[in-house]
């Protein structure tokens, strides 16, 4: 269509064009179809995500989002460069390379044929206890220990059994990881007598990192989002709906939260900005083009 960067740059040297594709603009995979799940597979994401028995895809479109974020940051960098040089440029973003950047830890973990981290579900592959644990009221608590000081605090304050701290099966992370099934049973037996709130309170008092494993309703009602005023009501063709502000606060401005437009709401305005007159737009409506 003549809208590629090579065709346009001669007349518009300040133009910035960003192309997003599955595999990039060249190479042997250039023309392959690339759905999000396919890229999760190609980038090795599925090999380290899920349980020992089965891989699991991400619950959101992580490859699509990664590509979008790198397109966004690359365009911002290109705008800064254009402000200094007066020249635009072409950006070639692939989903594979974007998700590959996010795979840095497990990828380098397996450098030169070293064994990759095993799939461990929501638990940590090599640190224990680190992962989800059920409470007595049916809730799930996520917790993570990072060192021996925390392990002693966990035994004394959360499990309320100081003897476990020096138990030869558990007195180092390597041994805790080796005997994780036995230790898991001990932790669950204590948590079974407590509610989720009580487990979280003990963890907080012991200064052990923790989180409540929320479902979507729990995230909607998260007290931190409410306290920081992160929700806004925005208009839409179906009426007002709640929406989260973009991440981050900026000291110089507040984010705009305009209504969600109906399909085609801004078509005429965009065409006028492109230089088309009202007569042409009216004719296109009459002919069914718009």
């Amino acid at each position: 269509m003549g809208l590629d960067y090579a065709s346009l740059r001669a007349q518009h040297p300040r133009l910035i064009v960003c192309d997003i594709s599955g595999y990039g603009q060249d190479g042997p995979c250039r023309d392959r179809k690339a759905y999000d799940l396919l890229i999760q597979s190609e980038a090795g994401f599925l090999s380290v995500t899920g349980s020992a028995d089965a891989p699991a895809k991400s619950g959101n479109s992580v490859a699509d989002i990664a590509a979008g974020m790198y397109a966004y940051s690359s365009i911002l960098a290109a705008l800064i460069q254009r402000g200094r040089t007066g020249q635009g440029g072409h950006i070639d973003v692939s989903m594979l390379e974007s998700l590959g950047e996010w795979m840095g830890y497990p990828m380098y973990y397996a450098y030169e044929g070293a064994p990759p981290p095993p799939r461990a579900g929501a638990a940590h592959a090599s640190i224990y206890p680190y992962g989800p644990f059920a409470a007595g009221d049916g809730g799930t608590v996520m917790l993570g220990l990072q060192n021996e000081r925390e392990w002693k605090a966990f035994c004394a304050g959360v499990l309320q059994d100081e003897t476990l701290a020096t138990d030869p099966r558990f007195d180092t992370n390597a041994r805790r990881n080796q005997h994780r099934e036995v230790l898991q049973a001990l932790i669950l037996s204590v948590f079974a007598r407590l509610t989720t709130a009580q487990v979280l309170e003990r963890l907080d008092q012991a200064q052990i990192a923790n989180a409540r494993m929320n479902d979507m309703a729990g995230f909607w009602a998260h007290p931190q989002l409410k306290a920081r005023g992160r929700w806004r009501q925005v208009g839409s063709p179906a009426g007002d709906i709640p929406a989260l502000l973009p991440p981050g606060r900026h000291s110089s401005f507040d984010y705009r939260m305009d209504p969600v437009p109906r399909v085609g709401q801004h078509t005429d305005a965009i065409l006028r900005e492109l230089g088309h007159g009202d007569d042409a737009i009216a004719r296109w409506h009459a002919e069914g083009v718009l």
Side-chain angles (χ1 to χ4, degrees), residues 155-286:
C155 292
V158 180
L159 301 182
Q160 297 185 348
D161 184 352
E162 294 184 3
T163 64
L164 288 173
T166 55
D167 188 307
R169 297 171 297 174
F170 313 132
D171 58 357
T172 67
N173 177 67
R175 294 190 181 100
R176 291 193 293 275
N177 196 44
Q178 181 181 359
H179 299 101
R180 63 167 58 200
E181 292 183 3
V182 176
L183 182 52
Q184 180 187 47
L186 289 171
I187 295 171
L188 290 177
S189 68
V190 174
F191 286 11
R193 302 191 296 270
L194 304 170
T195 66
T196 302
Q198 288 171 330
V199 173
L200 292 171
E201 182 180 6
R202 286 192 184 186
L203 290 166
D204 283 339
Q205 289 177 349
Q207 296 185 323
I208 303 299
N210 68 83
R212 183 189 299 268
M213 199 168 82
N214 280 322
D215 56 14
M216 290 298 93
F219 182 69
W220 276 97
H222 203 294
Q224 185 70 2
L225 297 177
K226 181 178 180 181
R228 283 171 55 84
R230 303 307 295 170
W231 290 104
R232 294 289 186 275
Q233 290 292 117
V234 300
S236 82
D240 288 349
I241 56 175
L244 276 172
L245 285 165
R249 288 174 173 169
H250 199 290
S251 61
S252 300
F253 62 83
D254 292 325
Y255 289 104
R256 285 175 52 180
M257 296 290 281
D258 292 351
V260 179
R262 67 178 183 276
V263 175
Q265 179 176 332
H266 298 130
T267 298
D268 292 1
I270 292 171
L271 289 171
R272 291 189 186 98
E273 289 182 10
L274 294 173
H276 299 289
D278 289 342
D279 291 343
I281 295 173
R283 184 176 72 255
W284 290 332
H285 277 291

Side-chain angles (χ1 to χ4, degrees), residues 43 45 58 60-70 95-107:
F45 184 89
S58 169
N60 59 10
S61 299
V62 64
D64 289 339
I65 296 169
M69 294 305 296
Y70 283 113
M95 294 166 63
L96 179 67
E97 292 159 12
S98 298
L99 188 56
E101 177 74 8
W102 289 6
M103 294 299 295
Y105 170 72
M107 180 178 65

